[in-house]
Amino acid sequence: MSTGSGAASAPAPDPYDTKTALDAPARKNSMFSSLRIRNYRLFFLGQVVSNIGTWMQRIAQDWLVLSLTGSSSAVGITTALQFLPMLLFGLYGGVLVDRLRKRPTLLVTQSAMALTSIALAVLTLTGLVEVWHIYVAALALGLATVVDNPARQSFVSELVGPGQLQNAVSLNSANFQSARLVGPAVAGLLITGVGTGWAFLLNGLSFVAPLTGLMLMRTRELHPVERAPRGKGQLREGLRYVAGRPDLLWPIVLVGFMGTFAFNFPVYLSAFADDVFHGDAGVYSMFNTLMAVGSVSGALLAARRGTARLRLLIVAAMAFGALEILAAASPELWIFALIMVPLGLVSMTVNVTTNTSLQMSTDPSVRGRVMALYMMVFLGGAPVGAPIVGWVTDTYGARVGFAAGGAIAMTAAAVIGLVLARAGGLRLAVGWHHGHPSVRFVPRDRVKALAPAA
């Protein structure tokens, strides 16, 4: 198994190169260029349908728990149970993904997730559902996600090859967030009109689309990646690989902080809709829809960029934290709602930039483990963070909880930005660039040259 710094399908840059560390140049791409590839087009279209169902279930699940218990902590526990398996077993899922063929693996995981949603629908429609049923369903979905998430993430490179990887990853994010425009709105109508059970049922049926797409793909048109042989020490080898690469390690640490404390939107937004603005499921759905408007914009902008810039990641993470604090202080519902749009944009910029920089900089033979570690830290932080922010929200109010999450995001981004700059041999330079004031990271030997004249 190769763990070198380079690979034909995704060459790994020098982590201490200044262009990699914070200021890699960007290439302009056609916004939808990867959709010309038939296999990726089938994958993309299947995900459009399934993602709408996923967002419907997320809204219905959160609101059903809140309706049954009246507790933000209970919503946090549900979120925690859904992502607990990723925290406990995420790295082992990555090892499996590196050993297995991706398409058959996805057929199994997607089928399991469909059956779980249908079972929850039956319990809800028959009036038998209790909170513990929702907890079990969330845990079951989380177990399937342990393998499904890294498999889907790494399968994209086999669908499109290295030349279209950045574009395809960005379009996947745009796909997921576009569904967020439709799913919450439909869920709100279903919940208020016929009940949450129908949202669960439609989500279960929506998995027919990605399963059909996977079966229709042409195997000969895939870009095969050498699978890792079965052996001892592969988990430790993956961890050592990341530990030796600051350009991989520190972005993962950053999204870990944000995923644990700042991205707990089911807790925050449901509390603002119910406790602060005294709204119903429609208000909660509206918040999610407005965030999706910004997220789609952020993903589409990323699709036009080439190499992901870690400098952009740091700036977006700091902006995200500042917007959360601003939203927490919003005195009126309409102000809070408007802030959801830029909040969605910068949150998607953080997600896409991290995802693409990791995939494009990682040796294909270890990509499953690296992406599993990323997803484990990002999603697996929820079991730790969701109950905590739920308790803070219940005890001190939604505004305090939301502002605390934003403050943590800003602090983590500032510290990790300085760490990456130091690792890349960079320093902060304040001066003039093309006749304008400039604040940027540059190589240490250029700081004096850029400094303003005395």
Side-chain angles (χ1 to χ4, degrees), residues 425-432 440-453:
L426 306 179
R427 290 187 62 184
L428 184 68
V430 180
W432 292 86
R440 55 190 174 134
F441 286 101
V442 298
R444 293 176 184 274
D445 58 2
R446 292 180 55 198
V447 173
K448 292 182 179 179
L450 289 171

Side-chain angles (χ1 to χ4, degrees), residues 59-69 124 129 134 196 200:
I59 300 301
Q61 176 179 279
D62 296 340
W63 199 257
L64 181 58
V65 171
L66 196 63
S67 299
L68 291 173
T69 66
T124 307
V129 69
I134 305 172
T196 55
F200 299 141

Side-chain angles (χ1 to χ4, degrees), residues 86 89-100 102 145-151 154 228 234-235 365-373 376:
M86 181 63 72
F89 310 116
L91 289 176
Y92 295 98
V95 171
L96 284 175
V97 166
D98 279 335
R99 292 176 182 172
L100 301 173
K102 308 299 187 297
T145 301
V146 167
V147 177
D148 184 81
N149 242 319
S154 55
Q234 291 177 324
L235 181 59
S365 64
V366 77
R367 186 176 288 145
R369 275 161 285 179
V370 172
M371 296 312 296
L373 178 62
M376 183 193 78

Side-chain angles (χ1 to χ4, degrees), residues 11 15 29 36 55 58 66 210 219 232 244 350 354 367 410:
N29 287 333
R36 300 190 189 105
W55 278 112
R58 284 192 178 189
L66 196 63
T219 305
K232 294 182 179 180
V350 170
T354 306
R367 186 176 288 145
M410 286 189 69

Side-chain angles (χ1 to χ4, degrees), residues 229-433:
R230 187 179 183 87
K232 294 182 179 180
Q234 291 177 324
L235 181 59
R236 292 191 298 274
E237 190 170 8
L239 292 173
R240 284 196 300 268
Y241 180 85
V242 173
R245 295 280 303 278
D247 60 323
L248 303 180
L249 174 64
W250 290 110
I252 290 175
V253 172
L254 175 58
V255 298
F257 275 103
M258 297 184 72
T260 301
F261 299 107
F263 279 4
N264 285 284
F265 297 119
V267 177
Y268 294 137
L269 299 188
S270 62
F272 265 85
D274 188 40
D275 298 332
V276 178
F277 299 119
H278 309 292
D280 57 12
V283 174
Y284 179 44
S285 296
M286 179 186 69
F287 291 158
N288 281 276
T289 300
L290 289 171
M291 277 199 70
V293 171
S295 297
V296 171
S297 301
L300 291 177
L301 287 173
R304 293 185 61 85
R305 290 193 293 267
T307 304
R309 299 182 179 188
L310 294 185
R311 180 180 65 178
L312 177 62
L313 170 63
I314 300 301
V315 172
M318 294 191 70
F320 176 85
L323 285 169
E324 282 203 342
I325 294 172
L326 184 63
S330 299
E332 302 289 342
L333 186 150
W334 68 269
I335 298 176
F336 183 89
L338 285 179
I339 294 174
M340 293 300 100
V341 177
L343 187 67
L345 190 151
V346 294
S347 70
M348 183 50 53
T349 302
V350 170
N351 290 343
V352 172
T353 303
T354 306
N355 192 313
T356 53
S357 65
L358 292 179
Q359 290 213 49
M360 296 178 73
S361 301
T362 301
D363 189 313
S365 64
V366 77
R367 186 176 288 145
R369 275 161 285 179
V370 172
M371 296 312 296
L373 178 62
Y374 162 62
M375 298 308 298
M376 183 193 78
V377 171
F378 182 46
L379 299 180
V384 177
I388 294 173
V389 300
W391 175 81
V392 171
T393 299
D394 281 340
T395 305
Y396 299 102
R399 295 187 187 278
V400 173
F402 210 18
I408 290 172
M410 286 189 69
T411 303
V415 171
I416 290 172
L418 292 173
V419 170
L420 281 171
R422 185 177 180 85
L426 306 179
R427 290 187 62 184
L428 184 68
V430 180
W432 292 86
H433 183 66

Side-chain angles (χ1 to χ4, degrees), residues 125 188-199:
L125 290 171
L189 292 174
L190 288 173
I191 292 168
T192 56
V194 294
T196 55
W198 291 99

